[in-house]
Amino acid sequence: MSFDSIPILDLSLARDAKTKPIFLQSLRSALLEVGFLYIKNTGISDELIEEVITQGKAFFGLPNAKKLEVQMKNAPSFLGYNVLGNEVTAFKTDWREQIDLSTPHPLPKSTDPIYYNLLAPNQWPDPSLLPSFRPTYESYIAQMSTLSTSFTSLIAEALALPSTAFDRFFDKDQQHKLKIVKYPDLSALPADQQCQQGVGPHKDSMLTSYLLQASHHRGLQAQNLKGEWIDCPPRPGTLVVAIGQGLEALTHGVCASTTHRVLSPAAGQGARFSIPFFQGVSYDATFESVDVPQEILDMRDEVLRKQGGRRADDVEFTFRKGHWEHLGEATLTNRVRSHPDVGERWYPEILRRVREEQAREREEKAKATGDGGKVTDPMSGLTGGTRKEIAV
């Protein structure tokens, strides 16, 4: 049976030995059948959440010149500010602006693998204009890092695995990432771009992501196994958890990575804000998996059997075994695909390979649809992908 609503799980139940089995059963069902869920009673204080929202919105109120001081293409790390309409998903422009942050890391050494460029210091906005921005987000990222690690251990237990089953995929100083995103309403978009794509259909890349919906707007939707779009409206006191492709790969498809998208607010509704946190995985990780018990694999097979043996979506899977040696290589390539302006400045050879791959994708799409496949990115003629770590 395909889901028609998004489950809500109460994390406080996992903290009580008497109610933890009930929580794990509900979590297992959500992982197998939905891959998208709300969590409440997260342990993050309401005061911190409110300050995170306040500071995030304040960033977009800065003068453009101050935001451009921390523009993403200033550095090879893919951390920093992206102007409106500068990212692509599913061959179309995403109408949003955003700033990407992460857990702090020093600059890599010249002898490190190229994908270590993703580990770097943040580009922080001018503290004379936003003095509380950096401490607020450093605190939030630290607390979300703890929450995501704890939640991943609960996922392991829900799959009848040891709570430490996924620990080997994390670095000691594991990088996690966060985005602060503004989706303007349609009246703020160019007259020839009145498209509702805030961000196109995609799956998140890593293990788990945690979305703080920072305004009252609807727009987030998850795709069920029938291909239908199910609303995921804001609910006070909750975070939305999306299961990533990495976790699906590690668990042999038991944990479903669910396609989702964001529709831009209608004209006159004002901007939608969201703040997703992405749990990282070691960039040195290889494409191995955990030994999921047969009884859990049988549950997976039963869910798929009811759907004709497949999941009804067309988002390409990032973690193709044999295609990459390390996760960092796949991640860096996907970031270049999503941000060609950064690729042009820092990774021209990777960008060349991405463009060649996208040309092949267009040709295959044209053969399959018979429509010529002439879907282009208005920024540079570059088509967009669907395999990315992305905000929702």
Side-chain angles (χ1 to χ4, degrees):
M1 181 176 180
S2 193
F3 68 89
D4 57 12
S5 62
I6 308 300
I8 305 172
L9 274 64
D10 185 346
L11 267 184
S12 67
L13 298 180
R15 302 183 190 112
D16 187 325
K18 294 180 180 178
T19 55
K20 187 175 182 179
I22 298 172
F23 175 86
L24 293 177
Q25 182 177 6
S26 298
L27 178 56
R28 182 166 57 247
S29 295
L31 295 170
L32 283 162
E33 299 173 13
V34 186
F36 223 69
L37 59 144
Y38 295 94
I39 54 174
K40 64 180 183 179
N41 293 319
T42 63
I44 308 293
S45 72
D46 292 342
E47 292 76 16
L48 179 57
I49 292 293
E50 286 303 315
E51 188 63 12
V52 164
I53 293 172
T54 297
Q55 293 297 319
K57 290 180 177 179
F59 171 80
F60 296 108
L62 292 176
N64 284 336
K66 300 305 291 186
K67 289 186 287 187
L68 291 175
E69 286 180 356
V70 294
Q71 195 168 10
M72 183 179 284
K73 67 181 182 181
N74 292 346
S77 61
F78 294 91
L79 299 173
Y81 171 67
N82 250 334
V83 300
L84 180 66
N86 204 39
E87 190 170 0
V88 178
T89 307
F91 303 100
K92 295 181 181 179
T93 297
D94 295 331
W95 291 108
R96 59 188 182 144
E97 59 176 316
Q98 64 188 36
I99 181 170
D100 287 47
L101 305 171
S102 84
T103 46
H105 284 79
L107 289 170
K109 302 187 294 291
S110 60
T111 54
D112 287 332
I114 189 172
Y115 55 79
Y116 275 31
N117 285 344
L118 300 170
L119 302 170
N122 285 303
Q123 296 192 74
W124 295 106
D126 188 339
S128 69
L129 298 177
L130 291 177
S132 298
F133 185 92
R134 179 172 180 171
T136 295
Y137 275 93
E138 286 185 331
S139 176
Y140 185 66
I141 290 172
Q143 292 191 38
M144 286 302 303
S145 299
T146 300
L147 172 62
S148 65
T149 302
S150 174
F151 194 76
T152 304
S153 72
L154 292 171
I155 290 174
E157 291 184 76
L159 303 183
L161 294 167
S163 62
T164 57
F166 299 112
D167 287 2
R168 70 180 188 270
F169 300 107
F170 301 118
D171 293 325
K172 184 177 180 181
D173 58 345
Q174 180 59 52
Q175 182 192 52
H176 305 289
K177 296 187 66 179
L178 175 145
K179 294 176 182 277
I180 312 168
V181 190
K182 177 183 178 181
Y183 298 93
D185 74 27
L186 291 178
S187 65
L189 302 185
D192 61 341
Q193 296 290 345
Q194 294 291 304
C195 164
Q196 269 202 293
Q197 177 163 305
V199 60
H202 67 280
K203 295 180 178 182
D204 293 345
S205 295
M206 299 297 189
L207 295 195
T208 56
S209 54
Y210 303 79
L211 172 67
L212 171 60
Q213 300 196 74
S215 58
H216 66 278
H217 303 82
R218 289 175 175 262
L220 176 61
Q221 296 180 326
Q223 190 178 48
N224 66 18
L225 299 182
K226 294 179 180 178
E228 301 166 333
W229 291 104
I230 308 302
D231 283 336
C232 190
R235 296 185 181 278
T238 68
L239 297 171
V240 178
V241 180
I243 301 304
Q245 291 189 16
L247 191 58
E248 182 171 337
L250 292 178
T251 61
H252 307 273
V254 169
C255 296
S257 180
T258 298
T259 301
H260 47 286
R261 68 181 182 184
V262 174
L263 302 179
S264 296
Q269 288 189 354
R272 177 182 183 268
F273 294 89
S274 68
I275 305 168
F277 173 92
F278 301 95
Q279 181 184 35
V281 181
S282 173
Y283 292 134
D284 291 323
T286 56
F287 294 85
E288 54 184 308
S289 56
V290 295
D291 294 324
V292 178
Q294 187 59 47
E295 64 190 80
I296 304 296
L297 296 175
D298 291 343
M299 294 179 187
R300 173 206 62 190
D301 293 344
E302 178 62 16
V303 170
L304 292 176
R305 185 190 66 78
K306 292 178 179 179
Q307 300 302 320
R310 65 183 183 87
R311 301 191 188 278
D313 66 57
D314 60 359
V315 172
E316 185 175 353
F317 201 69
T318 302
F319 296 90
R320 294 172 289 174
K321 194 169 184 178
H323 191 76
W324 310 103
E325 185 175 352
H326 296 100
L327 175 64
E329 296 166 330
T331 302
L332 178 58
T333 299
N334 289 340
R335 298 297 283 166
V336 170
R337 174 185 284 255
S338 299
H339 300 280
D341 59 330
V342 182
E344 287 175 349
R345 180 167 185 179
W346 299 100
Y347 305 103
E349 179 58 27
I350 295 176
L351 181 60
R352 181 189 63 78
R353 295 197 300 267
V354 165
R355 284 175 166 156
E356 290 175 351
E357 180 182 350
Q358 290 174 325
R360 290 192 295 270
E361 290 174 359
R362 288 199 303 273
E363 291 176 3
E364 293 171 3
K365 182 181 174 82
K367 291 177 182 177
T369 63
D371 63 2
K374 296 179 180 179
V375 182
T376 59
D377 168 12
M379 290 189 297
S380 62
L382 178 66
T383 57
T386 54
R387 299 169 295 160
K388 61 205 301 184
E389 177 186 68
I390 198 165
V392 290

